[in-house]
């Protein structure tokens, strides 16, 4: 159902209309903004805190665009393109950008708070956490502060529930990024 032949897809009905969403960051933001959430995942909405909301939106877009773009370039040139089209200089360039630009920004935030936008878990942490897991499959995000943060995320009950069936997927073998890089937890802890 995704015209880009990708996942995810979110479908729902609203006032008799079928709604289909195909952008993961839009889905995360949409679901986080729903007033029915038991836990507020979108800072700044309830008390109209413009500074908290601006920081949250900035990080949400940064994680889903800039970080994502860097990781996709690495993946394309390591795993997806035919060998004759792969460019190791591109991989080196983007790995360096991740190490020298993205990681220091994450570490600076994590030295102030437990989560990317403050003391509380937010939708930003969903996307950033995914990006960290992805980056670790390429030997990135190995700084101590990031590892502690990833352990914090992967120990959350919702995370554990979401990945409880990970071993059932043939593409997620024991040596895959999802099983070996999730906060340095053993498979039995997932």
């Amino acid at each position: 159902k995704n015209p880009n032949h990708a996942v995810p897809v979110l479908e729902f009905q609203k006032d008799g209309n079928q709604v289909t969403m195909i952008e993961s960051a839009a889905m995360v933001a949409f679901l986080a903004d729903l007033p029915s959430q038991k836990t507020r995942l979108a800072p700044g909405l309830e008390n109209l805190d413009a500074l908290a909301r601006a920081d949250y939106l900035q990080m949400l877009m940064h994680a889903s665009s800039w970080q994502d773009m860097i990781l996709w370039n690495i993946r394309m040139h390591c795993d997806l393109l035919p060998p004759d089209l792969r460019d190791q200089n591109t991989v080196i360039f983007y790995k360096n950008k991740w190490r020298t630009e993205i990681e220091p920004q994450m570490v600076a935030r994590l030295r102030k708070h437990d989560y990317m936008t403050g003391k509380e878990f937010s939708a930003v942490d969903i996307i950033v956490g995914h990006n960290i897991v992805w980056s670790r499959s390429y030997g990135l995000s190995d700084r101590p502060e990031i590892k502690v943060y990833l352990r914090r995320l992967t120990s959350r009950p919702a995370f554990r529930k979401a990945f409880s069936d990970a071993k059932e997927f043939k593409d997620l073998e024991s040596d895959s990024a999802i099983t070996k890089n999730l906060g340095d937890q053993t498979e039995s802890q997932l």
Side-chain angles (χ1 to χ4, degrees):
K1 296 194 178 193
N2 186 324
N4 301 316
H5 307 288
V7 292
V9 173
L10 175 64
E11 295 181 319
F12 61 94
Q13 296 275 331
K14 177 67 176 163
D15 300 327
N17 296 308
Q18 175 73 25
V19 179
T20 302
M21 298 180 76
I22 61 170
E23 277 298 324
S24 59
M27 290 176 212
V28 170
F30 172 75
L31 294 170
D33 285 351
L34 290 176
S36 60
Q37 292 295 324
K38 292 178 187 173
T39 304
R40 181 53 63 193
L41 295 177
L45 278 180
E46 288 180 341
N47 56 4
L48 300 177
D49 182 342
L51 294 177
R53 184 70 176 168
D55 185 55
Y56 163 77
L57 290 171
Q58 169 95 355
M59 285 305 297
L60 191 67
M61 299 309 129
H62 183 264
S64 60
S65 60
W66 189 241
Q67 289 180 16
D68 191 75
M69 180 276 302
I70 289 172
L71 293 169
W72 266 108
N73 271 285
I74 295 168
R75 183 174 185 212
M76 291 292 292
H77 289 277
C78 284
D79 301 320
L80 301 178
L81 289 172
D84 60 320
L85 295 178
R86 295 178 186 180
D87 179 19
Q88 285 307 303
N89 289 326
T90 298
V91 173
I92 292 166
F93 176 79
Y94 282 113
K95 280 185 170 185
N96 186 55
K97 282 189 90 52
W98 187 271
R99 285 187 185 106
T100 62
E101 294 176 18
I102 303 299
E103 287 183 22
Q105 291 177 63
M106 286 194 267
V107 167
R109 285 176 170 274
L110 293 171
R111 286 182 177 159
K112 294 178 187 174
H113 303 290
D114 285 347
Y115 297 99
M116 284 295 148
T117 59
K119 296 182 286 185
E120 302 294 325
F121 178 85
S122 76
V124 167
D125 299 297
I126 294 169
I127 297 175
V128 170
H130 166 76
N131 289 346
I132 290 171
V133 169
W134 189 8
S135 71
R136 286 178 54 83
S137 67
Y138 295 107
L140 302 167
S141 300
D142 60 355
R143 297 180 191 215
E145 298 90 343
I146 296 172
K147 286 182 173 184
V148 168
Y149 169 69
L150 188 56
R151 272 194 294 277
R152 189 176 302 117
L153 295 180
T154 59
S155 67
R156 293 175 51 80
F159 181 93
R160 296 166 69 91
K161 184 177 179 183
F163 284 93
S164 64
D165 63 349
K167 288 189 246 174
E168 295 176 28
F169 295 92
K170 74 175 193 173
D171 291 340
L172 295 177
E173 297 170 4
S174 63
D175 64 340
S176 74
I178 200 75
T179 55
K180 77 176 183 182
N181 292 322
L182 291 177
D184 298 325
Q185 294 189 22
T186 63
E187 281 187 51
S188 64
Q189 292 174 302
L190 288 177

